[in-house]
């Protein structure tokens, strides 16, 4: 059922010609205890950009990458030791734009719950999993408004997830939370317990409009700078 829903939201190469630097992240889904879970990482404290923040495996596109899927799989292998052939890639979802104005494409793939993580300590300090349902029915959630450097107003989701195994809490927010929420909305097709920036009866078209407005605000700013 999840595969079927996800394929309906596959964007393919729809935005590949936009003139922004490209990046991609892998959203690794696994079935554990009969429920879908999402694998996330914590960035190493040694990193210059966003040290200690929760994110998905991923990074900037390299010249050798054929597409966003290649980028996401290569980065996942480098960061957590996930072999590309162990990922059943399902789709590419609506992209986002990060703080550095990179166009970030989320690539969704299924992995086995038996996957043994081998984090690269230079890039990743921890790896953990969260039930996907948490991103529509959270126990600890807050939101705040954010205005991009181009003046576009958007909603930032912030989840605090308490991992019982590790007896530790993780803060999941920003673009990572944005992708996790959208993934959960696509798969479950139900209304979350909090407000989102989409028309949930027309999720694909409204998410596309959301992205296009965000992109247009950045592009207009670039033009005005010129």
């Amino acid at each position: 059922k999840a595969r079927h829903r996800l394929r309906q939201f596959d964007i393919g190469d729809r935005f590949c010609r936009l003139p922004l630097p490209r990046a991609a992240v892998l959203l690794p889904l696994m079935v554990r205890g009969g429920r879908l879970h999402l694998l996330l990482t914590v960035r190493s404290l040694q990193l210059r950009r966003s040290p200690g923040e929760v994110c998905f495996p991923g990074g900037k596109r390299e010249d050798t990458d054929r597409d966003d899927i290649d980028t996401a799989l290569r980065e996942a292998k480098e960061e957590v030791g996930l072999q590309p052939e162990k990922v059943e890639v399902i789709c590419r979802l609506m992209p986002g734009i990060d703080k550095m104005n990179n166009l970030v494409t989320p690539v969704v793939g299924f992995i086995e719950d038996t996957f043994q993580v081998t984090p690269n300590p230079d890039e990743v300090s921890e790896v953990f999993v969260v039930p996907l349902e948490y991103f529509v029915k959270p126990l600890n959630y807050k939101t705040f408004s954010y205005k991009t450097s181009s003046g576009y107003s958007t909603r930032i989701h912030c989840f605090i997830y308490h991992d019982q195994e590790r007896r530790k809490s993780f803060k999941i927010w920003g673009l990572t939370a944005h992708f996790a929420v959208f993934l959960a909305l696509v798969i479950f097709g139900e209304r979350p317990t909090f407000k989102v920036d989409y028309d949930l009866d027309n999720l694909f078209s409204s998410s596309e409009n959301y992205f296009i407005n965000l992109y247009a605000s950045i592009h207009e700013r670039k033009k005005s700078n010129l």
Side-chain angles (χ1 to χ4, degrees):
K1 186 179 175 184
R3 284 186 186 94
H4 176 70
R5 290 273 302 171
L6 286 164
R7 287 189 182 115
Q8 291 179 313
F9 283 79
D10 186 15
I11 61 151
D13 292 323
R14 186 178 296 222
F15 300 108
C16 69
R17 299 191 189 283
L18 294 182
L20 288 178
R22 301 188 70 83
V25 292
L26 182 67
L27 277 53
L29 283 167
M30 63 174 75
V31 179
R32 184 172 282 183
R35 298 163 76 198
L36 284 170
H37 286 68
L38 198 50
L39 181 142
L40 293 137
T41 69
V42 179
R43 289 173 63 82
S44 167
L45 291 172
Q46 302 169 42
L47 294 171
R48 277 182 307 170
R49 195 167 60 81
S50 306
E53 299 233 326
V54 171
C55 64
F56 292 110
K60 284 189 175 181
R61 187 164 181 171
E62 292 185 358
D63 293 340
T64 50
D65 298 335
R66 286 171 302 177
D67 55 21
D68 298 314
I69 294 171
D70 258 15
T71 303
L73 294 178
R74 176 183 52 74
E75 289 280 349
K77 182 181 178 183
E78 290 173 11
E79 291 179 17
V80 297
L82 178 59
Q83 298 298 324
E85 64 272 15
K86 298 289 187 184
V87 183
E88 181 198 352
V89 174
I90 306 296
C91 69
R92 283 168 279 185
L93 294 178
M94 204 64 67
I97 298 172
D98 69 11
K99 290 177 284 191
M100 311 298 288
N101 282 352
N102 293 303
L103 182 77
V104 185
T105 299
V107 176
V108 184
F110 279 96
I111 63 173
E112 293 293 332
D113 72 326
T114 51
F115 164 58
Q116 295 294 309
V117 180
T118 51
N120 175 352
D122 293 336
E123 298 193 49
V124 173
S125 62
E126 286 190 82
V127 180
F128 64 104
V129 297
V130 180
L132 184 62
E133 195 177 26
Y134 196 80
F135 296 106
V136 283
K137 295 176 182 173
L139 297 175
N140 192 334
Y141 169 85
K142 60 184 175 182
T143 185
F144 51 94
S145 295
Y146 173 74
K147 193 167 268 195
T148 66
S149 55
S150 55
Y152 183 72
S153 293
T154 184
R155 192 190 308 268
I156 299 282
H157 303 291
C158 181
F159 300 85
I160 305 296
Y161 176 70
H162 185 69
D163 188 316
Q164 302 283 358
E165 257 178 64
R166 287 176 170 73
R167 296 185 179 181
K168 195 170 181 181
S169 292
F170 295 97
K171 179 183 177 182
I172 307 161
W173 72 296
L175 195 56
T176 300
H178 172 83
F179 286 150
V181 167
F182 188 68
L183 179 66
L185 292 175
V186 167
I187 288 178
F188 296 123
E190 59 184 61
R191 294 184 181 277
T193 57
F194 50 88
K195 288 184 178 177
V196 291
D197 290 315
Y198 308 119
D199 172 1
L200 295 172
D201 295 321
N202 299 284
L203 186 55
F204 188 94
S205 59
S206 68
S207 65
E208 187 173 45
N209 288 339
Y210 173 88
F211 169 72
I212 288 168
N213 289 336
L214 177 62
Y215 170 74
S217 73
I218 288 165
H219 209 58
E220 280 302 315
R221 182 165 172 267
K222 279 189 169 181
K223 283 195 286 191
S224 66
N225 285 350
L226 289 172

